[in-house]
Amino acid sequence: MKVFLSTDMEGTTGVVDWGQVRGPATEYEYYRGLLQAEVNAAIDGALAAGATEFLVNDSHSTMQNLRPDGLHGQASYLSGRHKRWSV
């Protein structure tokens, strides 16, 4: 089974203010780490359910918020602003 995850920092646990999701800032780095952990938890759950391939789409701001080398399950990472259907 293939899984597509589209991520955005608004929606990450505890995010309640723009200052938390705009870098560079200490709070941004903290919530960026939380987003990474939540994405990895979703991948781990999908792996446990039998998923075999993952594509993670970064959809927040400049779309380069996750660390591709830190994604679980050998997930592929789609980042950057110039994506076909993004605004």
Side-chain angles (χ1 to χ4, degrees):
M1 172 183 8
K2 297 178 182 180
V3 174
F4 176 77
L5 294 169
S6 188
T7 69
D8 200 338
M9 288 186 77
E10 295 87 0
T12 301
T13 301
V15 170
V16 297
D17 185 78
W18 285 113
Q20 296 168 317
V21 298
R22 291 185 180 151
T26 302
E27 279 196 283
Y28 166 74
E29 290 301 325
Y30 175 77
Y31 285 98
R32 180 183 186 195
L34 281 183
L35 174 64
Q36 183 94 34
E38 290 183 7
V39 167
N40 283 335
I43 291 171
D44 289 343
L47 276 167
T52 56
E53 291 182 51
F54 303 90
L55 175 58
V56 178
N57 178 50
D58 194 330
S59 299
H60 179 74
S61 185
T62 62
M63 303 178 192
Q64 52 188 0
N65 302 282
L66 297 171
R67 293 191 53 164
D69 61 342
L71 292 172
H72 291 190
Q74 298 180 339
S76 297
Y77 180 51
L78 180 60
S79 65
R81 292 189 87 123
H82 302 289
K83 296 177 197 163
R84 185 173 177 152
W85 300 107
S86 68
V87 176

